[in-house]
Amino acid sequence: MTQNLENLPKGLNPEDLVDIYAKMVLIRTLDERIWAMNRQGKAAIVASSQGHEAAQLASVWALRHHSEDYFCFTYYRDLAVTVAQGLTPTETLLGFLAKEGEPMSGARQFPQHGAILDKKVINISNVVSTHIPHAVGWALAAKMRGDKTVVAAYMGDGATSQGEVHEAMNFASVLKLPVVFIVENNKYAISVPQHKQMNVKQISSRAAGYGMTGVTVDGTDVIASYEACAEAVERAARGKGPSLVELEVERYLPHTSDDDDSVYRAKAEIDEARKRDPLVKLKDLLASAGLMTDERDVELRESARREIDAATDAAEAAPFPSDRDVLEHVFEEVR
Amino acid sequence: MTQNLENLPKGLNPEDLVDIYAKMVLIRTLDERIWAMNRQGKAAIVASSQGHEAAQLASVWALRHHSEDYFCFTYYRDLAVTVAQGLTPTETLLGFLAKEGEPMSGARQFPQHGAILDKKVINISNVVSTHIPHAVGWALAAKMRGDKTVVAAYMGDGATSQGEVHEAMNFASVLKLPVVFIVENNKYAISVPQHKQMNVKQISSRAAGYGMTGVTVDGTDVIASYEACAEAVERAARGKGPSLVELEVERYLPHTSDDDDSVYRAKAEIDEARKRDPLVKLKDLLASAGLMTDERDVELRESARREIDAATDAAEAAPFPSDRDVLEHVFEEVR
Amino acid sequence: MAMMTVIEAVREAMREEMQRDASVFVLGEDVGRRGGVFLATQGFIDEFGEERVIDTPLAEAAIAGVAVGAAMSGMRPIAEVQFGDFVFPVFNQIVGEAARIRYGTKGKISVPMVLRIPYGGHIRGGLFHSQSPEAYFAHTPGLQVLCPATPYDAKGLLKAAIRSNDPVVFLEHKRTYRAVRGEVPDGDYVVPIGVADIKRYGDAATIITYGLTMHYSLQAAEVLAAEGIEIEVIDLRTVSPIDRDTVLESVRKTNRVLVVHEDNIALGVGAEVSALIAEHAFGNLDAPVMRVAGPDIPAMPFAPTLEAAYMPTADKIEAGLRRLLEY
Amino acid sequence: MAMMTVIEAVREAMREEMQRDASVFVLGEDVGRRGGVFLATQGFIDEFGEERVIDTPLAEAAIAGVAVGAAMSGMRPIAEVQFGDFVFPVFNQIVGEAARIRYGTKGKISVPMVLRIPYGGHIRGGLFHSQSPEAYFAHTPGLQVLCPATPYDAKGLLKAAIRSNDPVVFLEHKRTYRAVRGEVPDGDYVVPIGVADIKRYGDAATIITYGLTMHYSLQAAEVLAAEGIEIEVIDLRTVSPIDRDTVLESVRKTNRVLVVHEDNIALGVGAEVSALIAEHAFGNLDAPVMRVAGPDIPAMPFAPTLEAAYMPTADKIEAGLRRLLEY
Ligand SMILES: Cc1ncc(C[n+]2csc(CCOP(=O)(O)OP(=O)(O)O)c2C)c(N)n1
Ligand SMILES: Cc1ncc(C[n+]2csc(CCOP(=O)(O)OP(=O)(O)O)c2C)c(N)n1
Ligand SMILES: [Mg+2]
Ligand SMILES: [Mg+2]
């Protein structure tokens, strides 16, 4: 642990950590359920958030506590962001099962894709990195309108190789836009390890070339992640322009349910990574601070399981969307 | 001057400087002639190299002296590179007048575009930065074949904002390819000044984010430019991967003959820039070292004028290309 | 009524819309102090300030992508790409993203942006300053693709484009910028998107065209008119979605169709026009639908002789008409 | 003869060409240890080493652009884009550059590269894993665009593509990868680029198609065959340049044409086929050239019900045939 609970970063209270832990338990339970439903042939495709939860939740708490308003441009692995922002487990599962009532895209898109504007989350596309310029544009619009939105743009390590990320980061820095670029570096782009993606150890080393602040922290550590994100959010909120926050996380499962990581990743490496499990780390921290007991933890897990069970039932019971509107929403009016 | 002639960088001799000066005089004379021919309505479009000559010629001399073999991917402003590589003034002018016999594209393309393989120059496209991945691919091919080619990839400051530059630099660094990225930073992309293009003073600050060496030097100073390029070429030749060399130059004329810089650039700024004229600086250096006299300079200028006069006559006398082959070379065979 | 050129009409449309609606802004390379390389935004930076007239870095994907993001949040950006040939870096954002966002959010988010693209050749632009990219966009459901030919249409369509709640690719033919003058009414008006215009009435045959070749088609029609043969000239104006009604009605009247465009022939807009006519007016045709278009070579060579060999000019259109009429 | 799937045929073609010619190499995301996300290069890294099987950063423009540069210098790169939907970042390099390099150097430089793209839907790919991008490339002079439907054609065409001295966009339908098995001869053979194949002979009407819908077209033809109506099915295989001779000859025989593809209808490949037939076989048609294709919506929604509504399946093709025959 980088910090003890006496010395938490500004804005973060011990109760926040308890709340974050409870969310993390719920999200891990949900994530595991979705994966299982894929193996049962029910969910067509899944990208797991397991190992990324601390980074994702810390960023959301930092946005909440350090901006007047914010908006999240997520990517497919950001289950913890969407759930923290209010997408319910049932809604989430409607997405994974492509059922009627799915709120992001009406099941036109892969799960977790589309928009939930009232929950401040947009994730339009599966094309890696296309959302980074969108996030910058959203921030530009906010600045032009004079509202106080800070935009969080989430991406993986692999995404940073895309030209559009370069263009968008540069653009945001020139115009000093309120954006926080959050890189969840799990050291793999599908099978391609970091050293084949880039010749640097820290992606944050790119920030200097855009004239912005960049920092790399342990993304399995909620407190360190919170602190780094909070500083970046504050910079954005104060009109000081964008920042790049690299959160070093772990990917415990294959890239997606379609992937087989055994051909490119040693089991020992994953076992080693498991030692940094954000869930375990946060629980241990809370326990050592007297804020969590094994009994309370079991309670949390059981209540999570019950909630996910109920959501599963609801989602399974829902019908597939009717195809009647398949031609609609190409344009404002059907032509 | 950053150096005196006693202390020249490895590989650079005083005679080289005299040769470079003579080339510079020829190229400046040619460049001025082309601009004049545009104003006479004869040359449709011109991008002047004036102010960039020291940087361009120093890079060519560095490539010659520090690699076994090399190849240049130039851009439209690299007249000094193409001429130093052997494109004659007549051939050059055939290009600007779009005449039969133009060697780079058969006058299918803008002047200076196409390829002169025997002269180791390719400049396919007017689309800024598309050649940077090509240069990297050429270097990859050289490395795969085991030949010793070092590839020079020339671009302007504006070009560095393009996503493809990011992708290509990263790619080259991961694979440790023999490339020297040469940025001729004249602080303008047409009318857009550097501070609206990027939030950094030195473009070379991007290099660290790719894990490569980056350096910024005075590109109106032949010796400093040579030294920076030579080190980069040697790194590439020794298998140490790519480098980014930023040469700070001046653009004395509008972006192209189609541009009117008076609406966005103060005359005083250009007057100030004229004080760094690479031609004047090199002449003064040679004179102070006893390697150039006013008489010899006048001789050089007059011989250049005669050569360009003859080339002008030859190019003007040439016919336009016949349109008979306009459908050819879409594919290997006409379909 | 005022006489103005196409570039003046474009400038007026943007200026009036920016005056009318604070959510409209422009971004692109050199649009600020320089006023754009074709001066479409001349004077804007003084009138509207740097905040609404944004000189961008040289990065088309970001220009387009930032515009998409701003439009998603309710602004009405007008993004400029300097030349049609430099448009490919925007494909990911425009063809891949902007076109699908309404559909992919089931109508929750729209993208009210305009991508302005000076395009086309016959200006000695050579291989990389002459491109006609409209067909790529016209193949993409979710995009509205406009190619005005006259100052009147340029102004009225650009206003409609800026006001549209869906993305518009707005193509301005470079040669028309200064070469084409015409009357433009004073005050506000829009030309509806998706509606073709009959620029000349006739009964012997119909030319379906747009952009610069609309003018060349009118010239060819004049030549035949001198011989008493009246050609109808339809200016599509919107090349996607195509105005089927106007096209089919004319076909039913003239029974002969020549499609004319500058873009190369294979899968050019003319292919879709021809296919639509085949599907919906098969029984009305006295002759095959013929096409006069750029040859299938990369557009378009630099030397004047080579450029002329590429370009579908009035004489080539006239020859096409005679072939059609003789069938 | 061996029975194999399309993905196996693709893999075999590449492996044999890499064994034959040291200048052939592959690059793309995950092509190394992972063997590609569809396993097209499974085992290659062990057989050919990291130097010729290059796992790249996640950067399609660089993958394409580096391949262009390597090809210009005489190598024969095979670049992989993981899904057709992620292909837009390569447009600048492929549509803008690779396609024009031979022309723009007057034949001095060629670009002998292959861009392999797993494409197409009906695999629950949703809005961003189902794209059919062939028409964009087919509109581009200088590109050869291949869409094999069977293992035999996949292997033979891919070999021809690798040996071609001009750039090839090689589209492999994802649903055919494992679903379609067929005989493939032992040993070396090529299928010539630009030559269509009659996959079924008939006289009542001609279906012109390619890719996955070729199989669905054969299914529809079987249904009608049971009623004694024989449909000819032409598999274009090369969608650009189109094999006019084979197409026109069949039209002259059957006098009725249905064009079928999965890509959306407006300016899909079917538009060019229809326009070509209009131009060159007008007098041979007993009915309009009709099209069965994806609707003009962004391809293709995720939910199974919605995907089915998009997809041109055998029953929709059968209905199209009946409409055509009744005309
Ligand atoms: C432009 C594009 N190229 C390729 C893909 C296929 N793809 C999906 S995710 C992915 C890897 C992304 O890695 P990273 O950004 O590190 O995110 P992670 O999945 O590791 O969280 C790839 C290659 C894609 N979706 N979009
Ligand atoms: C992709 C693309 N966008 C825009 C242009 C138009 N354009 C031509 S040169 C240029 C500025 C280039 O500036 P820089 O790279 O600094 O080179 P310089 O001309 O200053 O030497 C622009 C915007 C282009 N040719 N290609
Ligand atoms: Mg990753
Ligand atoms: Mg510059």
Side-chain angles (χ1 to χ4, degrees):
Chain A
M1 282 298 118
T2 57
Q3 307 228 10
N4 66 39
L5 295 197
E6 257 93 85
N7 203 5
L8 289 176
K10 184 170 66 102
L12 187 67
N13 301 316
E15 305 78 68
D16 291 322
L17 292 173
V18 176
D19 290 350
I20 289 173
Y21 182 69
K23 263 296 180 253
M24 219 186 265
V25 168
L26 180 74
I27 288 157
R28 180 68 67 91
T29 310
L30 176 59
D31 193 290
E32 287 170 349
R33 174 65 50 86
I34 298 166
W35 195 266
M37 293 179 84
N38 169 270
R39 293 323 193 208
Q40 296 162 1
K42 291 173 181 165
I45 175 95
V46 186
S48 165
S49 67
Q50 293 179 40
H52 288 233
E53 299 100 328
Q56 292 174 15
L57 291 174
S59 71
V60 170
W61 258 255
L63 286 160
R64 282 190 196 152
H65 291 184
H66 298 272
S67 70
E68 278 182 38
D69 203 353
Y70 65 92
F71 208 95
C72 301
F73 281 77
T74 57
Y75 79 114
Y76 48 84
R77 206 176 291 293
D78 285 324
L79 182 69
V81 178
T82 54
V83 173
Q85 284 301 103
L87 195 74
T88 67
T90 303
E91 290 170 333
T92 303
L93 287 169
L94 287 171
F96 280 92
L97 301 188
K99 293 296 185 71
E100 178 70 44
E102 189 285 318
M104 296 189 76
S105 75
R108 291 168 168 213
Q109 291 229 49
F110 270 11
Q112 299 279 304
H113 286 77
I116 30 177
L117 289 172
D118 56 333
K119 302 189 172 80
K120 305 176 186 180
V121 174
I122 291 183
N123 177 21
I124 293 298
S125 166
N126 283 101
V127 186
V128 163
S129 299
T130 48
H131 63 308
I132 306 302
H134 302 171
V136 173
W138 194 278
L140 173 66
K143 187 174 174 182
M144 290 178 83
R145 281 193 298 253
D147 79 39
K148 294 289 176 198
T149 303
V150 171
V151 178
Y154 295 85
M155 72 197 96
D157 46 301
T160 66
S161 298
Q162 283 284 353
E164 292 193 2
V165 171
H166 166 72
E167 296 189 11
M169 286 185 177
N170 185 47
F171 196 107
S173 188
V174 170
L175 293 180
K176 286 213 178 314
L177 299 180
V179 188
V180 181
F181 299 106
I182 297 177
V183 178
E184 302 177 32
N185 181 1
N186 61 16
K187 294 157 286 179
Y188 281 91
I190 307 188
S191 72
V192 183
Q194 186 173 345
H195 73 272
K196 286 190 170 190
Q197 296 182 49
M198 62 193 79
N199 190 23
V200 290
K201 291 263 181 287
Q202 297 201 332
I203 295 170
S204 63
S205 64
R206 301 250 165 94
Y210 305 114
M212 62 183 181
T213 304
V215 63
T216 302
V217 298
D218 180 351
T220 63
D221 179 337
V222 174
I223 298 171
S225 300
Y226 180 93
E227 186 166 25
C229 291
E231 283 174 10
V233 171
E234 290 210 348
R235 257 192 306 277
R238 286 202 316 271
K240 302 287 179 197
S243 310
L244 196 170
V245 180
E246 177 183 14
L247 302 168
E248 295 184 317
V249 296
E250 300 289 351
R251 195 190 85 197
Y252 293 135
L253 293 180
H255 171 68
T256 66
S257 50
D258 280 350
D259 184 30
D260 170 11
D261 60 356
S262 70
V263 300
Y264 60 81
R265 202 173 173 195
K267 190 170 168 306
E269 185 186 299
I270 302 173
D271 290 343
E272 188 61 33
R274 287 268 179 208
K275 297 184 186 153
R276 300 173 66 215
D277 188 331
L279 200 68
V280 178
K281 279 172 71 169
L282 183 53
K283 191 201 145 195
D284 289 350
L285 175 73
L286 291 174
S288 71
L291 292 169
M292 184 58 56
T293 60
D294 284 348
E295 297 71 51
R296 177 78 191 115
D297 187 34
V298 169
E299 265 173 47
L300 279 174
R301 285 168 195 271
E302 289 194 345
S303 117
R305 196 176 35 73
R306 281 191 302 273
E307 190 176 346
I308 305 304
D309 282 347
T312 305
D313 291 344
E316 294 208 85
F320 287 117
S322 123
D323 66 7
R324 250 172 306 144
D325 64 358
V326 75
L327 299 182
E328 279 171 32
H329 304 298
V330 178
F331 295 111
E332 190 170 27
E333 291 143 40
V334 178
R335 301 194 185 187
Chain B
M1 282 299 116
T2 57
Q3 306 229 12
N4 67 40
L5 296 197
E6 255 94 84
N7 204 5
L8 290 176
K10 184 170 66 103
L12 186 68
N13 301 316
E15 305 79 66
D16 292 321
L17 292 173
V18 176
D19 290 350
I20 289 172
Y21 182 69
K23 262 299 178 249
M24 218 185 267
V25 167
L26 180 73
I27 288 158
R28 180 67 66 92
T29 310
L30 176 59
D31 193 290
E32 288 170 349
R33 175 64 51 85
I34 298 166
W35 196 266
M37 293 179 85
N38 169 270
R39 294 322 194 208
Q40 295 162 2
K42 291 173 181 165
I45 177 93
V46 186
S48 165
S49 68
Q50 293 178 43
H52 288 232
E53 300 101 327
Q56 292 175 14
L57 292 174
S59 72
V60 170
W61 257 255
L63 286 161
R64 280 189 197 153
H65 291 184
H66 298 270
S67 71
E68 277 182 38
D69 204 353
Y70 65 93
F71 208 95
C72 300
F73 281 77
T74 58
Y75 79 113
Y76 50 82
R77 206 176 292 291
D78 285 323
L79 182 69
V81 178
T82 54
V83 173
Q85 284 300 103
L87 195 74
T88 68
T90 303
E91 290 170 333
T92 303
L93 287 169
L94 287 171
F96 280 92
L97 301 187
K99 293 296 185 72
E100 177 71 44
E102 189 284 320
M104 295 189 78
S105 74
R108 291 169 167 212
Q109 292 228 48
F110 270 10
Q112 299 278 303
H113 287 75
I116 29 176
L117 289 172
D118 56 333
K119 302 188 171 81
K120 303 175 187 181
V121 174
I122 291 183
N123 176 21
I124 291 299
S125 167
N126 283 101
V127 186
V128 163
S129 300
T130 48
H131 62 308
I132 307 301
H134 301 171
V136 173
W138 194 277
L140 173 65
K143 186 174 174 181
M144 290 178 84
R145 280 193 298 252
D147 80 37
K148 294 289 175 197
T149 302
V150 171
V151 178
Y154 295 86
M155 72 198 96
D157 47 302
T160 65
S161 298
Q162 283 284 352
E164 293 194 0
V165 171
H166 167 71
E167 295 190 11
M169 286 185 178
N170 186 46
F171 196 107
S173 188
V174 171
L175 293 180
K176 287 214 177 317
L177 299 180
V179 188
V180 181
F181 298 106
I182 298 177
V183 178
E184 303 177 31
N185 181 359
N186 60 17
K187 294 156 286 179
Y188 280 92
I190 307 188
S191 72
V192 183
Q194 185 172 346
H195 73 273
K196 286 191 170 191
Q197 297 182 48
M198 62 193 81
N199 190 22
V200 290
K201 291 262 182 291
Q202 297 201 330
I203 297 170
S204 63
S205 64
R206 301 249 165 95
Y210 305 115
M212 64 183 181
T213 304
V215 62
T216 302
V217 299
D218 180 350
T220 65
D221 179 337
V222 174
I223 298 170
S225 300
Y226 180 94
E227 187 166 24
C229 292
E231 282 175 11
V233 172
E234 289 210 348
R235 258 193 304 277
R238 285 202 318 270
K240 302 286 180 196
S243 310
L244 196 170
V245 179
E246 177 183 14
L247 302 168
E248 295 183 318
V249 297
E250 300 288 353
R251 196 190 84 195
Y252 293 135
L253 294 181
H255 171 67
T256 65
S257 50
D258 281 350
D259 184 30
D260 171 11
D261 60 356
S262 70
V263 301
Y264 59 81
R265 204 173 171 194
K267 189 170 168 306
E269 184 186 301
I270 302 173
D271 290 343
E272 189 61 32
R274 286 269 180 208
K275 297 184 185 153
R276 299 173 66 215
D277 188 331
L279 200 67
V280 178
K281 279 172 73 170
L282 183 54
K283 191 200 146 195
D284 289 350
L285 175 74
L286 291 174
S288 72
L291 292 169
M292 184 57 57
T293 62
D294 283 348
E295 297 73 49
R296 177 77 190 114
D297 187 34
V298 169
E299 265 173 49
L300 278 174
R301 286 168 195 272
E302 289 193 345
S303 118
R305 196 176 37 72
R306 281 191 303 274
E307 190 176 345
I308 305 303
D309 281 348
T312 306
D313 292 344
E316 294 208 85
F320 287 118
S322 122
D323 65 8
R324 249 172 307 144
D325 63 359
V326 74
L327 298 182
E328 279 171 34
H329 304 299
V330 177
F331 295 110
E332 191 170 27
E333 290 144 40
V334 179
R335 301 192 183 188
Chain C
M1 282 285 188
M3 287 292 286
M4 56 175 78
T5 60
V6 168
I7 189 73
E8 286 164 349
V10 164
R11 192 185 304 134
E12 279 308 295
M14 287 195 284
R15 173 176 288 134
E16 289 175 18
E17 292 303 299
M18 287 180 73
Q19 288 165 344
R20 202 182 53 81
D21 181 350
S23 67
V24 180
F25 70 100
V26 300
L27 73 167
E29 297 155 14
D30 305 289
V31 299
R33 198 50 62 202
R34 180 76 181 80
V37 291
F38 295 102
L39 303 182
T41 54
Q42 193 174 36
F44 281 31
I45 195 157
D46 290 325
E47 182 170 354
F48 303 106
E50 287 203 351
E51 299 244 311
R52 291 176 70 198
V53 184
I54 303 174
D55 263 336
T56 66
L58 207 176
E60 283 77 10
I63 294 170
V66 166
V68 170
M72 285 177 13
S73 97
M75 301 296 285
R76 293 188 176 269
I78 308 173
E80 178 178 298
V81 169
Q82 256 174 18
F83 279 82
D85 312 64
F86 314 151
V87 81
F88 299 113
V90 312
F91 270 48
N92 199 32
Q93 286 294 338
I94 302 303
V95 174
E97 301 290 310
R100 301 189 220 205
I101 288 174
R102 184 187 286 280
Y103 194 81
T105 60
K106 208 175 169 187
K108 281 199 293 280
I109 304 185
S110 63
V111 184
M113 69 172 282
V114 179
L115 184 73
R116 287 186 47 247
I117 311 173
Y119 82 108
H122 218 183
I123 50 146
R124 298 292 312 284
L127 214 57
F128 285 97
H129 288 85
S130 303
Q131 181 88 23
S132 293
E134 64 272 19
Y136 298 109
F137 297 112
H139 176 56
T140 307
L143 298 180
Q144 306 169 99
V145 187
L146 316 189
C147 298
T150 66
Y152 177 90
D153 288 340
K155 183 168 177 188
L157 278 172
L158 185 49
K159 282 180 163 248
I162 294 167
R163 296 177 196 181
S164 170
N165 290 330
D166 287 306
V168 172
V169 177
F170 195 84
L171 292 144
E172 303 160 10
H173 198 290
K174 299 192 293 276
R175 174 125 181 187
T176 68
Y177 267 159
R178 291 184 171 76
V180 176
R181 296 176 63 83
E183 293 207 330
V184 172
D186 302 323
D188 193 45
Y189 70 98
V190 297
V191 170
I193 294 172
V195 179
D197 187 40
I198 303 180
K199 287 285 193 312
R200 187 182 205 290
Y201 287 86
D203 52 15
T206 302
I207 293 180
I208 301 170
T209 184
Y210 57 91
L212 178 62
T213 52
M214 200 287 289
H215 300 285
Y216 295 163
S217 295
L218 286 176
Q219 290 168 14
E222 287 300 322
V223 175
L224 270 70
E227 302 169 18
I229 303 166
E230 294 299 337
I231 304 295
E232 185 142 308
V233 177
I234 296 185
D235 181 357
L236 284 177
R237 302 195 295 197
T238 296
V239 303
S240 182
I242 289 176
D243 177 358
R244 295 182 186 199
D245 295 343
T246 304
V247 166
L248 295 174
E249 203 176 308
S250 180
V251 177
R252 290 192 192 106
K253 179 172 74 171
T254 68
N255 312 120
R256 287 172 195 269
V257 181
L258 187 70
V259 193
V260 178
H261 54 65
E262 175 180 328
D263 190 11
N264 58 273
I265 196 160
L267 274 174
V269 167
E272 183 62 25
V273 172
S274 179
L276 283 174
I277 294 171
E279 279 162 342
H280 301 290
F282 178 71
N284 302 103
L285 289 173
D286 290 343
V289 176
M290 296 183 184
R291 292 181 285 178
V292 170
D296 283 331
I297 63 177
M300 114 185 14
F302 178 56
T305 40
L306 305 179
E307 186 182 75
Y310 179 98
M311 194 66 202
T313 41
D315 50 337
K316 292 180 195 166
I317 299 168
E318 184 196 326
L321 281 172
R322 294 194 191 279
R323 264 199 317 279
L324 178 70
L325 293 167
E326 276 159 23
Y327 185 91
Chain D
M1 283 285 188
M3 286 294 284
M4 57 175 76
T5 61
V6 169
I7 189 72
E8 286 164 349
V10 164
R11 191 185 303 134
E12 278 308 295
M14 288 195 283
R15 173 177 286 134
E16 289 174 18
E17 292 305 297
M18 287 181 73
Q19 288 165 343
R20 203 182 54 79
D21 180 351
S23 68
V24 181
F25 69 101
V26 300
L27 74 168
E29 296 154 15
D30 306 289
V31 299
R33 196 52 60 203
R34 181 74 180 82
V37 290
F38 294 103
L39 304 182
T41 54
Q42 193 175 37
F44 281 31
I45 196 157
D46 290 324
E47 182 170 354
F48 303 108
E50 288 204 350
E51 299 243 310
R52 292 177 69 197
V53 183
I54 303 174
D55 264 337
T56 65
L58 207 176
E60 283 78 9
I63 294 170
V66 166
V68 170
M72 285 178 11
S73 98
M75 301 295 285
R76 293 186 176 271
I78 307 173
E80 179 178 298
V81 169
Q82 257 173 18
F83 279 81
D85 311 64
F86 315 151
V87 79
F88 299 113
V90 313
F91 271 48
N92 199 33
Q93 287 294 338
I94 301 302
V95 173
E97 301 288 310
R100 301 190 220 205
I101 289 175
R102 183 186 287 281
Y103 194 81
T105 60
K106 210 178 168 185
K108 281 200 291 281
I109 304 185
S110 62
V111 184
M113 70 173 282
V114 179
L115 185 72
R116 286 185 47 246
I117 312 173
Y119 83 108
H122 218 184
I123 50 146
R124 298 291 313 284
L127 214 57
F128 285 97
H129 287 85
S130 304
Q131 181 88 25
S132 291
E134 63 273 17
Y136 298 109
F137 296 112
H139 176 56
T140 308
L143 298 180
Q144 307 169 100
V145 187
L146 316 189
C147 298
T150 65
Y152 177 89
D153 288 340
K155 182 168 178 187
L157 278 172
L158 185 47
K159 282 180 164 248
I162 294 167
R163 297 178 195 179
S164 170
N165 290 329
D166 287 305
V168 172
V169 177
F170 195 84
L171 292 145
E172 303 160 10
H173 198 291
K174 298 192 290 280
R175 174 125 181 187
T176 68
Y177 268 160
R178 290 185 172 76
V180 176
R181 297 176 63 83
E183 294 209 328
V184 172
D186 302 323
D188 193 46
Y189 71 97
V190 297
V191 171
I193 294 172
V195 180
D197 187 42
I198 304 180
K199 286 284 192 313
R200 187 183 204 290
Y201 288 87
D203 52 15
T206 303
I207 292 180
I208 301 171
T209 185
Y210 56 91
L212 178 63
T213 52
M214 201 288 289
H215 299 285
Y216 295 163
S217 296
L218 286 176
Q219 290 168 16
E222 286 300 321
V223 175
L224 270 71
E227 302 169 18
I229 303 165
E230 294 298 337
I231 305 295
E232 184 142 307
V233 178
I234 296 185
D235 181 357
L236 284 177
R237 301 195 295 199
T238 297
V239 302
S240 182
I242 288 175
D243 177 357
R244 296 182 185 200
D245 294 344
T246 303
V247 166
L248 296 174
E249 202 176 308
S250 180
V251 176
R252 290 192 192 105
K253 181 172 70 172
T254 67
N255 312 120
R256 288 173 194 269
V257 180
L258 187 72
V259 193
V260 178
H261 53 66
E262 175 179 329
D263 191 11
N264 58 274
I265 195 160
L267 274 174
V269 167
E272 183 62 24
V273 172
S274 177
L276 282 175
I277 293 171
E279 279 162 342
H280 301 291
F282 178 72
N284 302 103
L285 289 173
D286 289 345
V289 176
M290 296 183 183
R291 292 181 284 177
V292 170
D296 283 332
I297 63 176
M300 98 184 35
F302 178 56
T305 40
L306 305 178
E307 186 182 75
Y310 179 98
M311 194 66 203
T313 40
D315 50 337
K316 292 181 196 167
I317 298 167
E318 184 195 326
L321 281 172
R322 293 194 192 280
R323 265 199 317 280
L324 178 69
L325 293 167
E326 275 160 24
Y327 186 91

